[in-house]
Amino acid sequence: MSGPVRRPRRRLSQPREQVLAAAMATIAAEGLDRLTMAGLGREVGMSSGHILYYFGTKDELLLQTLQWSEEQLGAERRAALARRGPVRERLDTLVDLYLPVGHRDPRWTLWLEVWVRSQNADDETRERQLDLELAWHRDLVALLVEGASKGEFRSVDAERFATRTRALLDGFGTHLVVGLPGTDRAQVGREVRQFLDEGLAPPKD
């Protein structure tokens, strides 16, 4: 759902890791509504004022938590995409990592919250969010280009196809994470696979 991510207050990397890991764990266990500065402070042995001193605002804390989460997932994604094997298998792996595991997936819950809160964000914040988006986009484009070069995929405009694919995944992912009735992960997987099959199947001889 990365490229170079800006990390404010780099000198505080160790406390930062503790706070961000605790924030993500709270979201996973109790939901975003239960994430408070006071509760988070108790988890890491810091006062809420201390946390605010380092992060400034709750919006900044949430964005850095999302960046941290994407860093962890990005490492997993890069390792998976570096494996040898059919490009289509690696493309399916990327899709699997992109989509939420289901209703209230903590990573997607945080992602949606950050995006809603950023409607009036400054340019620097939007650039940091764009970094997260572009990480997935670049990996997807690279797979499309590799698949075409090896004859596994038909030749497509990789940038445009990647943009359309991410839009499809974002739409389905939002339905899954909010628990839209009638939508489940298996169904979404079938729809995405059909889209990829129709758009990338090489022409028959």
Side-chain angles (χ1 to χ4, degrees):
M1 10 149 28
S2 72
V5 176
R6 299 166 181 81
R7 298 180 179 86
R9 311 181 194 275
R10 181 81 180 178
R11 67 186 185 281
L12 302 170
S13 59
Q14 188 58 34
R16 171 183 177 272
E17 290 284 328
Q18 295 173 355
V19 172
L20 300 181
M24 201 67 214
T26 298
I27 295 170
E30 303 179 37
L32 191 55
D33 291 343
R34 301 297 296 273
L35 179 66
T36 65
M37 292 299 191
L40 189 57
R42 287 191 294 270
E43 287 291 322
V44 297
M46 298 169 65
S47 69
S48 57
H50 199 185
I51 294 175
L52 281 172
Y53 173 77
Y54 288 141
F55 292 94
T57 65
K58 187 172 183 180
D59 285 358
E60 177 63 23
L61 170 64
L62 292 177
L63 178 53
Q64 288 197 40
T65 303
L66 179 60
Q67 289 176 314
W68 179 83
S69 173
E70 286 294 306
E71 287 171 2
Q72 316 310 306
L73 186 58
E76 181 181 352
R77 183 179 73 248
R78 288 188 294 273
L81 298 186
R83 297 181 189 132
R84 295 184 178 180
V87 181
R88 179 53 191 269
E89 289 183 4
R90 284 179 279 144
L91 178 56
D92 288 341
T93 296
L94 183 145
V95 168
D96 188 58
L97 290 172
Y98 194 107
L99 289 171
V101 296
H103 186 204
R104 295 181 179 174
D105 175 284
R107 180 175 62 90
W108 267 76
T109 297
L110 177 58
W111 191 291
L112 291 177
E113 180 70 14
V114 167
W115 254 241
V116 169
R117 286 170 173 260
S118 69
Q119 294 180 75
N120 298 314
D122 58 28
D123 291 342
E124 191 268 345
T125 297
R126 291 188 184 280
E127 287 180 7
R128 291 161 65 194
Q129 292 175 318
L130 182 60
D131 282 342
L132 302 178
E133 292 278 353
L134 290 179
W136 290 93
H137 184 82
R138 286 191 294 265
D139 285 346
L140 180 52
V141 168
L143 286 176
L144 295 173
V145 171
E146 182 184 354
S149 70
K150 293 181 175 178
E152 289 189 41
F153 302 156
R154 73 175 62 189
S155 180
V156 297
D157 181 331
E159 290 284 343
R160 181 169 178 267
F161 194 93
T163 298
R164 293 172 61 206
T165 301
R166 289 192 303 112
L168 181 72
L169 294 173
D170 286 344
F172 276 131
T174 301
H175 291 180
L176 285 173
V177 75
V178 302
L180 191 71
T183 304
D184 60 54
R185 206 171 194 275
Q187 173 200 356
V188 167
R190 289 192 297 271
E191 294 289 348
V192 174
R193 284 192 297 273
Q194 182 179 350
F195 170 79
L196 295 174
D197 289 342
E198 292 173 349
L200 298 176
K204 296 181 180 179
D205 296 330

